[in-house]
Amino acid sequence: MAATTEHVEVATENPDPDEDEDEDAGEPQGPRIRDTPMDLRLEAIANTVALHPTRDVLACGDVDGDVYAFSYSCTEGENRELWSSGHHLKSCRQVRFTADGEKLYSVSRDKAVHQLDVERGQLVTRIRGAHGAPINSLLLVDENVVATGDDGGTLKVWDMRKGTAIMDLKHHEDYISDITVDQAKRILLTASGDGTMGVFNIKRRRFELLSEYQSGDLTSVALMKRGKKVVCGSSEGTIYIFNWNGFGATSDRFALKAESIDQILPITDSIMCTASIDGYIRAVNLLPNRVIGCIGQHVGEPIEELAKSWDSRFLVSCAHDQLIKFWDISSLPNTTVNEYRKRKKKSGRMKSLTKKAHGDNDFFSGLVEETEKKEGEEQEEEEDDSDSDSDSD
């Protein structure tokens, strides 16, 4: 499908209050340089967003089955739609770039796997009827091997050189929400709506085990602490923590004040960002388990997916408000977390980690910096873990 400008518009935002206007009105003003690219407004809800591994380019897939590619820039007005593809017949569930950035994979409720050329947006490979049920999750293991999980709990691993499945296993009783792999590309881990994490050996092409059942759906799975820890998000708002090679039972759990944890995106070995149905993006530290603060929000709208830019400067989010938003997380990796706890603020408001954290029009947004400065001057009081209302159960 040819790209059209009707599918997207740049969302208008209020100017940043801390940016001064050009005092000399007589001189021509150049393009405004922003801290983050402007929001992208879509015509339909995006289920998924992925960022190019080496360029300022993103791809997204929406509920109508369309896939789009955009270039993004901090120069105001420079976001551009590059192309769109309408080859999927139903909702596009996930998109992922290959490591070299030359191809883009997508999976859909139409049960198909597509491979697109990133430069032109043309369909290169299509596997029709790849699954017997709608496909929900996608992982690119390497340049030739792709893993997919469906709504019925079936995991398939594909050799894309032949276009055939080298693994076809069903051990989950409900949808597979997420898939990840260890650094050695040997062990696949799956999160499922049945409340279990699955362990699969790619090298031996076999199922290993399921974890014990957890409360609620497991919605995401990621590796932390240099692969020594595995974390799973849940529909109940709890992060379940497993030791590597201790997959049967959790070693710890961390309940957030969140309605759900629909995705976990590692930022460093200890810091992750979580997406929730309540519209908040939280930065969370693992061991010690702490909510560091709020990266941003899609006010009152469930967040579908998070992605990180190639240079780790931006976090990108898509949600039910049909917006793709950009957040500056360049300072997040330098965040330090104390071993002891601060006494909870009476307001219960999360610390703002970005300028836009609590929304451009939030009444308190102008007070955030001043409030946090005052908090820093207050004496920090040590508390027992049992007193924290965002601690593990």
Side-chain angles (χ1 to χ4, degrees):
M1 179 187 294
T4 68
T5 55
E6 297 176 358
H7 295 294
V8 65
E9 61 186 55
V10 176
T12 57
E13 297 180 6
N14 295 330
D16 291 340
D18 56 338
E19 292 193 14
D20 296 330
E21 295 181 1
D22 194 338
E23 294 180 0
D24 189 356
E27 292 186 11
Q29 295 183 352
R32 179 169 169 239
I33 306 300
R34 301 167 49 87
D35 291 333
T36 59
M38 294 189 74
D39 298 348
L40 297 170
R41 187 183 298 277
L42 308 174
E43 279 198 346
I45 295 170
N47 290 320
T48 177
V49 62
L51 274 69
H52 194 281
T54 59
R55 294 161 50 195
D56 293 341
V57 170
L58 68 80
C60 62
D62 68 22
V63 294
D64 293 334
D66 295 319
V67 176
Y68 297 95
F70 298 95
S71 61
Y72 58 88
S73 172
C74 287
T75 303
E76 196 163 87
E78 287 298 308
N79 290 346
R80 295 282 184 268
E81 181 180 324
L82 303 177
W83 51 260
S84 65
S85 167
H87 293 289
H88 281 301
L89 304 177
K90 296 181 180 179
S91 177
C92 177
R93 297 279 186 80
Q94 281 204 316
V95 293
R96 292 290 183 268
F97 285 97
T98 54
D100 59 13
E102 294 182 3
K103 298 290 189 294
L104 180 77
Y105 280 89
S106 63
V107 294
S108 167
R109 191 167 176 268
D110 66 9
K111 308 174 186 177
V113 177
H114 288 178
Q115 185 193 78
L116 300 168
D117 175 77
V118 169
E119 205 62 41
R120 294 169 294 175
Q122 292 182 341
L123 183 64
V124 177
T125 303
R126 174 193 281 137
I127 303 176
R128 288 189 178 92
H131 281 251
I135 305 174
N136 191 59
S137 51
L138 168 69
L139 173 75
L140 276 55
V141 178
D142 60 31
E143 63 271 20
N144 299 313
V145 178
V146 174
T148 51
D150 69 27
D151 284 356
T154 296
L155 171 74
K156 290 192 178 186
V157 179
W158 304 84
D159 183 342
M160 294 306 297
R161 292 167 295 190
K162 302 174 183 177
T164 57
I166 57 175
M167 289 175 67
D168 183 350
L169 300 170
K170 186 183 186 313
H171 292 275
H172 287 296
E173 299 169 1
D174 208 335
Y175 68 97
I176 294 177
S177 58
D178 198 12
I179 312 171
T180 193
V181 67
D182 68 333
Q183 192 172 7
K185 313 290 188 185
R186 189 175 67 89
I187 300 295
L188 273 183
L189 302 174
T190 55
S192 173
D194 64 11
T196 67
M197 181 178 71
V199 184
F200 300 83
N201 191 312
I202 306 178
K203 297 298 183 185
R204 297 182 179 180
R205 301 185 184 183
R206 72 182 188 190
F207 165 73
E208 296 284 349
L209 74 147
L210 290 180
S211 73
E212 62 185 9
Y213 287 90
Q214 311 301 331
S215 176
D217 301 8
L218 293 190
T219 56
S220 51
V221 58
L223 299 179
M224 301 289 289
K225 297 290 186 181
R226 295 181 175 85
K228 294 178 182 178
K229 298 287 183 179
V230 180
V231 290
C232 290
S234 76
S235 59
E236 304 294 315
T238 298
I239 296 175
Y240 293 99
I241 305 167
F242 297 83
N243 291 322
W244 187 260
N245 286 333
F247 301 126
T250 57
S251 64
D252 198 2
R253 63 184 65 185
F254 181 35
L256 306 187
K257 274 191 169 179
E259 293 182 35
S260 66
I261 300 169
D262 293 323
Q263 193 199 356
I264 291 175
L265 180 69
I267 304 299
T268 69
D269 278 332
S270 300
I271 298 173
M272 62 189 110
C273 287
T274 65
S276 173
I277 197 172
D278 61 19
Y280 284 96
I281 304 168
R282 294 167 173 84
V284 179
N285 190 83
L286 180 68
L287 300 175
N289 300 335
R290 303 283 190 274
V291 175
I292 302 169
C294 177
I295 297 294
Q297 64 173 315
H298 293 254
V299 182
E301 299 288 349
I303 299 172
E304 287 290 342
E305 194 160 36
L306 305 174
K308 187 174 64 170
S309 65
W310 62 273
D311 56 1
S312 297
R313 181 180 175 188
F314 301 122
L315 182 77
V316 177
S317 57
C318 62
H320 286 205
D321 55 10
Q322 299 177 207
L323 292 177
I324 293 178
K325 292 189 173 190
F326 298 80
W327 314 95
D328 184 355
I329 59 166
S330 54
S331 62
L332 187 58
N334 300 322
T335 303
T336 56
V337 176
N338 292 326
E339 289 291 334
Y340 62 90
R341 298 184 177 279
K342 296 179 185 178
R343 189 172 296 279
K344 279 282 180 182
K345 293 180 290 180
K346 291 182 180 179
S347 67
R349 186 180 178 83
M350 283 187 290
K351 179 182 178 182
S352 300
L353 300 179
T354 64
K355 289 183 179 180
K356 303 187 295 180
H358 287 292
D360 294 329
N361 299 318
D362 192 287
F363 174 76
F364 297 99
S365 59
L367 305 176
V368 166
E369 188 175 342
E370 183 181 347
T371 302
E372 289 174 3
K373 193 177 295 182
K374 286 182 180 179
E375 286 170 7
E377 294 168 357
E378 293 176 358
Q379 185 178 1
E380 295 171 348
E381 299 182 38
E382 192 169 350
E383 266 193 6
D384 293 334
D385 285 358
S386 58
D387 292 335
S388 172
D389 47 8
S390 64
D391 192 24
S392 56
D393 295 346

